[in-house]
Amino acid sequence: MSDEASGQAGGACWAVVLAAGSGERLGIGRPKAFVPLGGQPLLYWSLRAFARHEAVTDLVVVTPPGWDEMLLKEILAAFSEQMGPDAEKIRGAVTGGAKRQASSRLGVEAVRDLRAEGSCAAENQTGVEPVVLVHDAARPLVPLRMIDDLLERLWAPRAVDAKPVGVIPVVPVADTLKEVAWPDEQLAQRAGVGDRRAWEQVGHGSVARTVSRDRLWQAQTPQGFPFGPLLTVHQEAAAQNYLATDEAGLFEWNGWAIETVPGSTANLKVTYPEDLALLAHAMAERV
Ligand code: CTP
Ligand code: MG
C-alpha cells in the first residue's frame, strides 16, 4: 500500500458490506454470505479486507432478516479473535431489503444514523466529506490495492462547484458478446438476469448479431462515493421507484459523474456453486 494513497484527506471512510441476498443461484439453503469458504463464512473475508485497510475507519454490514444475531455471535467473535483492534471498526449490522438496491440504501442510512450518534472514531475531526465504499460480500477477495485506487480518486482535489463523483473498478469484457433471439422470450429474460433454471430450459436460440465489446467493461465492487450525494440519490431513487443494478447507476441516473479505476480478474464473485471451488483455489494461491 503506497503512503500517499492511504488516508490522504484524513476523512472518514465507511465500508458498507452487502450480505443480505438469499443466494438463490448458489442454491445451498442458506444466504450466500454465510456459506463456508476457507474455514470462515464468505462474509468474513470482505470484512477482514476492509478492516485491515488503514484508511477504512468504519464498517457496516447489511444482513438477511434474522441473521444479524448469528452474525454478531459467530463472525464477529472469530473476527475479534483474529483481527484484534481492527474488529472494532465494525460499527453495526442492519437488516437488508428485498432487492440489492434497498439493502444498499439501508446500509447507507445506517451510516447516517451512526454518524448522527457521533460514535465514529474518525468522524468530526476534519470536516472532510466522508466517503462510502459499497461492497458485495459475494466478492471475498477484494484487493487492498483497489481500495487504495478508489480512495485516491475519491479524495483527489476537485473544483468546489464540481458535480459529485463516484469511482468504480472495471475490467474489460473478455468474451465475445452475442445478441440471441430465443423461442420463449420470457424465459430468456429470466435466464438473462441469472435464473439458472430458466437458462437450462431456454432451448435453442439463434444469434441476431455480435455486439462489439470495444467500449464495454464489467463493473465490480467496491464502488466508492461521497456520503451525502450517495444518501441523497438512494432516497430519490426509492421515492421514484427507480431501480439501477449498482450504485454507480444511481449516480448516472442523476447526471453525476462516475470515474473508473482498474478492477481485477482476481476479484471473483460467488454466484453459482462452481464459483466456490474457483474461489477456494484462488484463496489457497494467495496465502
Ligand atoms: N444483496 C443484498 N440484498 C439483496 C440482494 C443482494 O444485500 N436483497 C447482496 C448479496 O448478499 C451479495 C450482493 O448483494 O453480496 C450481490 O448480489 P447477488 O450476487 O445477486 O447475491 P444474491 O442475491 O444473494 O444471489 P441470488 O441473486 O443468486 O439470489
Ligand atoms: Mg441477487
Side-chain angles (χ1 to χ4, degrees):
M1 202 182 306
S2 68
D3 283 335
E4 74 268 18
S6 346
Q8 283 182 342
C13 172
W14 286 78
V16 172
V17 178
L18 302 179
S22 56
E24 223 165 282
R25 288 169 287 178
L26 197 59
I28 53 174
R30 67 160 81 182
K32 184 155 67 184
F34 300 93
V35 164
L37 183 77
Q40 293 289 348
L42 186 65
L43 169 62
Y44 172 87
W45 300 107
S46 312
L47 292 179
R48 179 171 176 263
F50 286 103
R52 278 174 61 193
H53 195 289
E54 60 188 330
V56 175
T57 53
D58 306 86
L59 278 100
V60 165
V61 192
V62 186
T63 63
W67 284 78
D68 23 349
E69 205 179 309
M70 125 77 187
L71 172 90
L72 292 170
K73 270 203 204 123
E74 291 188 25
I75 301 189
L76 296 190
F79 202 79
S80 306
E81 226 168 76
Q82 289 166 37
M83 299 292 298
D86 282 342
E88 288 160 26
K89 291 182 181 178
I90 302 175
R91 305 293 173 207
V94 60
T95 302
K99 296 239 176 220
R100 183 187 176 284
Q101 185 167 312
S103 296
S104 173
R105 176 176 48 79
L106 290 162
V108 177
E109 286 173 352
V111 171
R112 174 200 59 198
D113 297 343
L114 286 159
R115 291 186 69 220
E117 284 170 20
S119 59
C120 314
E123 290 275 0
N124 320 324
Q125 290 146 24
T126 61
V128 176
E129 172 82 18
V131 296
V132 181
L133 304 175
V134 182
H135 184 63
D136 290 343
R139 292 186 192 270
L141 297 180
V142 49
L144 293 182
R145 190 265 311 153
M146 199 180 288
I147 300 176
D148 287 343
D149 288 353
L150 291 165
L151 290 177
E152 192 183 343
R153 294 312 307 152
L154 284 168
W155 282 332
R158 298 183 194 274
V160 253
D161 58 350
K163 283 182 187 174
V165 177
V167 188
I168 66 170
V170 292
V171 292
V173 172
D175 296 332
T176 296
L177 298 176
K178 304 289 185 190
E179 191 179 305
V180 181
W182 300 100
D184 184 337
E185 266 307 322
Q186 251 184 349
L187 205 57
Q189 226 170 39
R190 276 178 28 221
V193 293
D195 180 332
R196 192 171 187 133
R197 266 165 303 208
W199 180 15
E200 277 155 7
Q201 290 163 32
V202 85
H204 299 281
S206 53
V207 170
R209 64 188 183 103
T210 298
V211 179
S212 166
R213 60 169 195 235
D214 284 358
R215 303 174 61 188
L216 297 183
W217 294 72
Q218 293 175 190
Q220 300 186 328
T221 70
Q223 302 197 343
F225 308 90
F227 163 72
L230 180 61
L231 178 63
T232 302
V233 79
H234 253 313
Q235 293 182 329
E236 272 175 29
Q240 296 183 40
N241 283 323
Y242 179 77
L243 209 55
T245 47
D246 63 1
E247 289 70 33
L250 298 176
F251 260 51
E252 293 158 41
W253 172 64
N254 212 38
W256 291 340
I258 296 295
E259 287 186 0
T260 60
V261 294
S264 166
T265 50
N267 187 18
L268 297 166
K269 179 166 179 279
V270 178
T271 305
Y272 298 109
E274 55 270 31
D275 298 331
L276 282 176
L278 275 178
L279 249 312
H281 180 73
M283 264 180 156
E285 292 276 292
R286 212 165 68 149
V287 176

